[in-house]
Amino acid sequence: MRTNWWAPGLLCLTAFIFIFFQDSPFNKNSGDSIVSANYELMNQIQRNVILERMYVDGEVSQETVKETIASMEALRAKYSEWQLIHMDDKKIVFRMKMDDISPLLKANGYFGITEEGVLTIFNGRPQKTNIIQSFFQIDIGRLESKTCEELKKGIPIKTKENFVEVLETFKTYSKGDQVELQSAGGITARYL
């Protein structure tokens, strides 16, 4: 009589496979929540998320946060008010257009003119070395002397409304062939 040695070995192998895969994260029917949670953690990724804020005055600020991402749907829901700009295997960039002037301008921004008569925003009182943004050349001869002196000393920028008002006021005094552009905040200005 011949003995089948392979039958008990096959039975042991089948039992081992059954026991091993019963509690495996690959088993979709597993009721073990710890194994299921570990499987979900294995599928999460970490990325640097860069949040860009674009202000009316053209300033762009960036904030970087490290996010653990379980799914793109969850990430998009978290940043639903932001526009997805870029995504790769290292970072994800979202952008939001702010209907306000930048914190830099609120804290220390001044309108002034350069020696060439160009309407400019300065970081602090007008000086050659602290220019933030230049707009258009002003016909200084058409300005009242008081207004010209105000520009030379610097006109503080505290609000978006103040920013828009000063640009609109001095746009009428611009000179030369300039191109008219519209900024992100909807403000039209002539740039050199």
Side-chain angles (χ1 to χ4, degrees):
M1 177 165 148
R2 278 178 65 179
T3 310
N4 288 334
W5 293 98
W6 57 270
L10 184 60
L11 183 62
C12 287
L13 180 62
T14 305
F16 172 75
I17 291 172
F18 177 76
I19 291 169
F20 177 76
F21 282 107
Q22 182 177 2
D23 290 332
S24 168
F26 303 109
N27 181 358
K28 303 271 188 220
N29 298 324
S30 175
D32 189 356
S33 61
I34 295 173
V35 172
S36 180
N38 285 337
Y39 180 68
E40 288 176 16
L41 285 174
M42 287 174 18
N43 286 332
Q44 293 181 353
I45 57 172
Q46 283 198 335
R47 292 286 185 270
N48 285 326
V49 174
I50 299 171
L51 304 174
E52 288 185 349
R53 290 173 179 86
M54 291 183 62
Y55 295 93
V56 170
D57 54 271
E59 186 73 22
V60 177
S61 70
Q62 288 188 340
E63 174 187 358
T64 302
V65 293
K66 192 169 245 0
E67 290 282 355
T68 301
I69 304 166
S71 71
M72 279 309 293
E73 293 81 24
L75 184 69
R76 284 188 182 263
K78 183 173 182 176
Y79 296 104
S80 63
E81 296 181 11
W82 296 75
Q83 180 184 6
L84 178 63
I85 300 299
H86 175 80
M87 182 170 62
D88 61 29
D89 61 342
K90 294 183 176 130
K91 66 182 176 192
I92 300 171
V93 181
F94 287 101
R95 181 177 294 157
M96 181 184 287
K97 291 183 180 177
M98 307 300 290
D99 188 27
D100 201 359
I101 60 173
S102 64
L104 172 66
L105 286 193
K106 286 181 181 179
N108 209 28
Y110 286 83
F111 273 109
I113 54 174
T114 63
E115 290 176 3
E116 297 81 24
V118 176
L119 182 67
T120 303
I121 295 177
F122 295 89
N123 184 11
R125 297 271 178 197
Q127 295 176 8
K128 288 181 184 180
T129 59
N130 59 355
I131 294 174
I132 296 175
Q133 184 177 10
S134 295
F135 293 96
F136 46 83
Q137 191 166 18
I138 295 175
D139 184 354
I140 298 173
R142 292 178 44 207
L143 289 178
E144 294 178 14
S145 59
K146 177 184 170 192
T147 306
C148 191
E149 284 303 312
E150 282 180 6
L151 276 175
K152 286 179 181 177
K153 289 181 181 178
I155 300 170
I157 308 167
K158 298 297 178 193
T159 65
K160 174 189 162 192
E161 292 74 22
N162 175 242
F163 176 82
V164 171
E165 179 185 337
V166 171
L167 274 180
E168 291 298 320
T169 298
F170 288 106
K171 185 165 58 169
T172 59
Y173 296 101
S174 66
K175 70 177 189 178
D177 296 330
Q178 292 116 10
V179 178
E180 200 168 85
L181 299 175
Q182 189 164 2
S183 70
I187 297 170
T188 302
R190 290 190 178 109
Y191 293 85
L192 295 174

